Amino acid sequence: MKLSQFKFNLPESLVANNPSEHRDEARLMVLHRDSGKIEHKIFKDVLDYFDDQDVMILNNTKVFPARLYGNKEKTGATIEVFLLRELNKELRLWDVLVDPARKIRVGNKLYFGDDDLLVAEVVDNTTSRGRTIRFLFDGTDEEFRKNIEILGETPLPKYIKRKATAQDKERYQTIFAKHEGAVAAPTAGLHFSRELMKRLELKGINFAEVTLHVGLGTFRSVEVEDLTKHKMDSEQFIIEQKDADIVNQALERKKRVCAVGTTSMRAIESAVSSGRTLKAANDWTSKFIFPPYEFSIANSMITNFHTPESTLLMMVSAFGGYDYVRHAYEVALKEKYRFYSYGDAMLII
């Protein structure tokens, strides 16, 4: 397929700058992939589509406050440092993106916080905006993390045109987040409230957890018309045996298995056994899913409404069927569904 087949005009007014008042009260579009039928609901109605022994697969990655603001030595110029991933815990080496990049060179020292709570040195260039930095910090890892927590800001995507607030610290995080390592939230999971989880549980729905640490590559634009030429960034994922067992039992019983979000889907599709069951894994994946693609594990999925020409839209189109998803997006635009991280949801069954 071609990149241009995923183009559509998205009015800026439909980009959600804030979450819905209650997690489980965002709008929900239900798309039936056998017929293309569309229903309009609210998210908590998801309960009506699942039954005893069905399984929902959740990504339990936890977003850390990855955006730091500091000053450059000598000039005092304000700089933004976006923490991407920790390369070495002992040496406190991190892969980061910097802004403005042209002013930040190898050897520069960067100071963060009013009383220079953290100091870092630039040790390498990685890409045009990428750098490797080393934090010069003598305390324990716990103290270091606490300082990142104090200084760091919730890494809202750039298309949310406002500063992060205290509310974002809670709302740009799923209620089942456990393992820190993501620089972006697995957004389909943001719609689950504690009350809804409890009600799903009481109905007999089982939950399996996977961990995929979402990187910024999720938002990287596709720059080639021929999709087979696009390369995804690698992201770390972990699937425990007990969670693989929960999923495989549901498959055996021919139950509904729902991937909550494109990140959960990418993790499970990266760990398929030769017998087309889910296997335990601790690995990195750069899997790129676009139509046509045969899915092995999930037979339903929950996702948000994605950007034109994004790899996320391509995966959803592969799962729901290109024509059905294209039509569903036309309906979403007409009905003024809210798009992106804090936007509304879609259930494809």
Side-chain angles (χ1 to χ4, degrees):
M1 291 204 87
K2 305 287 182 219
L3 176 64
S4 49
Q5 289 174 271
F6 296 91
K7 201 176 264 187
F8 65 92
N9 185 34
L10 178 66
E12 208 159 301
S13 60
L14 296 186
V15 175
N17 272 311
N18 294 285
S20 56
E21 193 182 344
H22 301 290
R23 283 182 186 268
D24 57 15
E25 288 181 2
R27 291 165 77 191
L28 176 72
M29 178 188 284
V30 182
L31 171 63
H32 295 262
R33 62 188 189 140
D34 57 346
S35 63
K37 180 183 148 193
I38 287 170
E39 298 175 87
H40 302 287
K41 304 283 183 176
I42 61 168
F43 192 78
K44 57 170 109 174
D45 296 332
V46 83
L47 191 69
D48 301 336
Y49 295 88
F50 293 89
D51 234 318
D52 189 33
Q53 296 184 335
D54 287 344
V55 170
M56 287 187 167
I57 303 170
L58 310 171
N59 182 4
N60 64 16
T61 188
K62 191 174 186 180
V63 180
F64 64 93
R67 189 172 275 127
L68 300 174
Y69 292 97
N71 302 95
K72 199 177 140 193
E73 65 173 333
K74 295 184 183 142
T75 65
T78 302
I79 43 115
E80 180 190 310
V81 172
F82 194 100
L83 303 174
L84 289 177
R85 66 170 68 108
E86 189 172 39
L87 300 173
N88 185 307
K89 195 177 268 202
E90 283 69 45
L91 297 175
R92 304 201 200 286
L93 281 179
W94 284 74
D95 248 348
V96 302
L97 292 177
V98 294
D99 202 15
R102 61 196 161 75
K103 293 187 175 172
I104 300 172
R105 300 191 175 94
V106 172
N108 285 161
K109 281 205 173 67
L110 312 173
Y111 296 88
F112 304 95
D114 294 339
D115 48 0
D116 302 337
L117 199 55
L118 286 176
V119 179
E121 184 181 9
V122 181
V123 296
D124 199 8
N125 294 325
T126 51
T127 61
S128 57
R129 284 182 58 220
R131 302 287 184 273
T132 301
I133 66 170
R134 179 172 64 233
F135 285 99
L136 311 172
F137 187 79
D138 291 332
T140 64
D141 191 57
E142 202 180 329
E143 290 165 337
F144 173 69
R145 304 264 159 195
K146 197 175 163 194
N147 286 354
I148 295 280
E149 198 66 40
I150 292 165
L151 296 170
E153 191 180 88
T154 303
L156 292 182
K158 287 282 192 192
Y159 53 70
I160 291 180
K161 305 277 192 256
R162 61 174 177 79
K163 293 282 280 176
T165 65
Q167 185 204 25
D168 293 308
K169 207 177 174 80
E170 183 217 340
R171 291 300 301 273
Y172 195 66
Q173 193 81 270
T174 65
I175 61 165
F176 41 80
K178 283 180 192 161
H179 303 296
E180 199 170 78
V183 298
T187 53
L190 296 178
H191 301 293
F192 286 82
S193 64
R194 285 191 168 76
E195 188 198 12
L196 178 59
M197 295 281 281
K198 195 76 207 152
R199 288 171 69 202
L200 287 162
E201 222 171 277
L202 290 171
K203 200 172 176 184
I205 287 106
N206 295 318
F207 298 103
E209 294 187 4
V210 299
T211 307
L212 183 136
H213 293 312
V214 192
L216 271 193
T218 295
F219 303 109
R220 182 160 296 162
S221 51
V222 179
E223 287 166 353
V224 285
E225 177 65 4
D226 178 357
L227 298 185
T228 60
K229 306 264 192 304
H230 178 68
K231 295 278 182 287
M232 294 284 281
D233 284 9
S234 274
E235 292 171 319
Q236 188 185 17
F237 76 101
I238 299 157
I239 300 171
E240 304 282 356
Q241 188 61 55
K242 64 177 171 48
D243 295 294
D245 291 344
I246 292 169
V247 172
N248 292 332
Q249 278 161 17
L251 288 175
E252 217 173 288
R253 293 175 182 140
K254 306 227 175 318
K255 291 291 179 182
R256 192 158 268 171
V257 174
C258 180
V260 176
T262 55
T263 59
S264 296
M265 186 70 91
R266 193 152 70 255
I268 60 178
E269 283 296 316
S270 301
V272 180
S273 74
S274 54
R276 293 171 75 85
T277 58
L278 185 61
K279 58 186 185 186
N282 187 339
D283 209 345
W284 291 75
T285 180
S286 53
K287 194 169 193 66
F288 176 31
I289 298 174
F290 59 94
Y293 181 87
E294 197 179 331
F295 291 81
S296 298
I297 307 294
N299 47 34
S300 59
M301 98 179 275
I302 293 170
T303 185
N304 277 24
F305 287 93
H306 303 294
T307 37
E309 300 183 315
S310 64
T311 59
L312 309 177
L313 173 58
M314 291 163 194
M315 182 198 283
V316 171
S317 300
F319 189 77
Y322 175 80
D323 292 332
Y324 285 164
V325 170
R326 179 115 195 140
H327 177 245
Y329 268 59
E330 285 165 9
V331 172
L333 292 168
K334 198 167 118 244
E335 298 292 330
K336 300 202 170 358
Y337 273 76
R338 296 172 354 121
F339 279 65
Y340 301 173
S341 301
Y342 275 151
D344 295 316
M346 178 190 259
L347 167 63
I348 305 175
I349 51 171

